[in-house]
Amino acid sequence: MPTLRILHLADIHLGMENYGRIDPATGLSSRLGDFLKTLNEALDWALHNDVHLVLIAGDIFKNRDPTPTVQREFAKCIHKLSSAGLPTFILVGNHDVPNALQRANTVEIYSTLAVPQVTVAKKPGLHIIDTKAGKVQIVAVPWISRSYLLTNSEHRNLDPDALNRAALELIENFIDKSAGELDPSLPAVLTAHASVAGAVLSSEKNIMLGQDVVIPKTVLADKRFDYVAMGHIHKYQVLTQQRPAIVYPGSMERIDFGEEKDKKGFVSVEIDESEKGGVREVRHHFHQVDARRFLTITANADIDFPTEEVLRRIEERAADIRESVVRLVIETTPEHVRDLRQDDIRQALNSHKPSYMTVAVNSTRPHRLKLGDKVVEQMSPKQALEIYLQTRDNPPTPERVQVLLKHYDLISTGVGDVSEAEA
């Protein structure tokens, strides 16, 4: 068997439209164009580099109900691969799963219509895929939904934590059982849409649906597999270089400013034919795509002539602003807010042709009332009273302080009374 070449990508999130504009010519969001552009960049790379299998590890769409337009655009991508005879394996992710078990998931139509060269894994299973380089075994662990677990009567009365433990047990048992059924003469890939212990999160945590089941690396790092293709976490990372490598390719486009510094792209994988009685050599490489840049510009405008300082900061980053999603953050004080010429600032920012821009003014008080070295806003009423008593010009004795604090407790709780002599 010749070297098997796989394109591994995940978390495409077609339909995400935040930080976008409507194209008046098409009526479509500019962000849909961004996400389709990077997806097609990856697929075109596969078609021009003799890739034998495209593996998408979940989350094709941004939510469970993509619009017909978004579904049409993804179908064009699938047709491109299918017509070229390139097999595509699609794992169902958390954004693809319906909220009721009997409802179809967002990519089920491809298996229902038996689209050539397309395999959709909506439940745990072992698949044998024919490629031009020979057969490859794929053990699939899609997102385990609450609806899937509740089909088992033993799980119906469990609390969320217990359900997570049940899901993890199901995953562990399935992977171990499937690994035991593998043909050692064929390449074997484990793919899962899930969180792995030790993985570094980006801000996609804000858009995840439901509570995560976190899989220990030891469950996935089974040497009977040649490679572990993960999806669900948007930051590219290799969790272990030892065989098998556990790899998140990350998302194809930035979702928000929490991913501003992240590289975006896909992973190519090469699995060599094993020597007689030996182990297959595996190589993987990250390829960065031309994703939309996100840029934060911070201007400290707590000075006289604050507008000029903001304009100076904009000019400093002029080369980076063009075609970027830009967030301008102005830090100032109430005294200087009225001096900001916001129309001039927006005009200057827009003159550098950002793809999208936002301007936020953070106005803070320069001084806070303090008692001693404590900030009042950070204290409870009782703490403020105690510090006041201790720091006044003629402080009462410690004993007197304790009596007054006791009096405060009784007043604040409405319980009991303090005798006149005590007070």
Side-chain angles (χ1 to χ4, degrees), residues 41-319:
E41 184 178 341
L43 301 185
D44 288 343
W45 187 94
L47 292 171
H48 288 95
N49 285 274
D50 198 22
V51 165
H52 304 118
L53 173 68
V54 173
L55 192 161
I56 307 176
D59 282 0
I60 304 298
F61 301 105
K62 112 177 157 174
N63 58 31
R64 300 158 173 154
D65 297 297
T67 66
T69 298
V70 172
Q71 293 184 66
R72 179 196 67 195
E73 295 304 311
F74 180 66
K76 291 178 182 178
C77 297
I78 291 298
H79 176 71
K80 178 192 295 189
L81 299 176
S82 179
S83 61
L86 180 52
T88 304
F89 188 93
I90 302 174
L91 187 69
V92 172
N94 58 308
H95 287 263
D96 306 314
V97 176
N99 55 13
L101 189 62
Q102 298 306 317
R103 291 187 62 191
N105 63 59
T106 59
V107 289
E108 197 165 332
I109 188 68
Y110 298 102
S111 55
T112 301
L113 296 177
V115 176
Q117 305 290 343
V118 178
T119 302
V120 177
K122 68 175 183 178
K123 60 184 180 180
L126 170 59
H127 303 260
I128 309 297
I129 307 298
D130 285 311
T131 77
K132 292 179 180 178
K135 296 181 183 297
V136 56
Q137 303 167 104
I138 302 180
V139 172
V141 182
W143 178 262
I144 304 299
S145 68
R146 181 182 177 87
S147 298
Y148 182 85
L149 289 173
L150 293 179
T151 58
N152 186 331
S153 60
E154 296 178 3
H155 298 154
R156 288 176 188 163
N157 296 319
L158 298 181
D159 60 37
D161 288 340
L163 271 177
N164 278 355
R165 290 192 295 271
L168 181 57
E169 183 179 2
L170 184 153
I171 292 169
E172 290 179 353
N173 292 339
F174 168 72
I175 291 175
D176 183 62
K177 177 178 179 295
S178 299
E181 298 172 354
L182 294 173
D183 180 348
S185 68
L186 297 176
V189 174
L190 170 62
T191 182
H193 192 87
S195 293
V196 179
V200 178
L201 297 175
S202 290
S203 65
E204 80 277 6
K205 193 69 177 178
N206 298 328
I207 62 168
M208 287 179 182
L209 306 179
Q211 188 177 7
D212 278 14
V213 175
V214 180
I215 305 176
K217 280 191 286 189
T218 53
V219 173
L220 302 173
D222 190 314
K223 295 187 183 299
R224 290 172 287 186
F225 295 105
D226 296 300
Y227 180 79
V228 179
M230 297 301 302
H232 188 48
I233 291 179
H234 289 192
K235 187 179 183 65
Y236 163 67
Q237 56 201 288
V238 180
L239 297 185
T240 173
Q241 289 285 6
Q242 298 177 350
R243 186 179 184 274
I246 303 173
V247 180
Y248 281 102
S251 57
M252 299 288 289
E253 268 285 341
R254 296 176 179 88
I255 301 298
D256 58 30
F257 282 92
E259 300 177 21
E260 181 176 351
K261 304 297 183 183
D262 292 352
K263 294 180 179 180
K264 297 298 176 183
F266 59 90
V267 173
S268 62
V269 186
E270 294 184 342
I271 304 177
D272 288 342
E273 183 177 10
S274 63
E275 300 293 337
K276 188 175 181 179
V279 175
R280 278 177 285 271
E281 183 179 346
V282 180
R283 297 172 297 281
H284 53 88
H285 179 70
F286 178 74
H287 301 261
Q288 190 168 346
V289 296
D290 184 23
R292 179 74 64 184
R293 188 212 308 263
F294 276 51
L295 174 67
T296 298
I297 301 173
T298 302
N300 181 3
D302 183 17
I303 58 173
D304 293 333
F305 309 108
T307 299
E308 282 62 33
E309 173 61 16
V310 176
L311 296 178
R312 185 188 68 80
R313 289 289 293 134
I314 290 173
E315 289 305 312
E316 283 183 349
R317 303 303 303 272

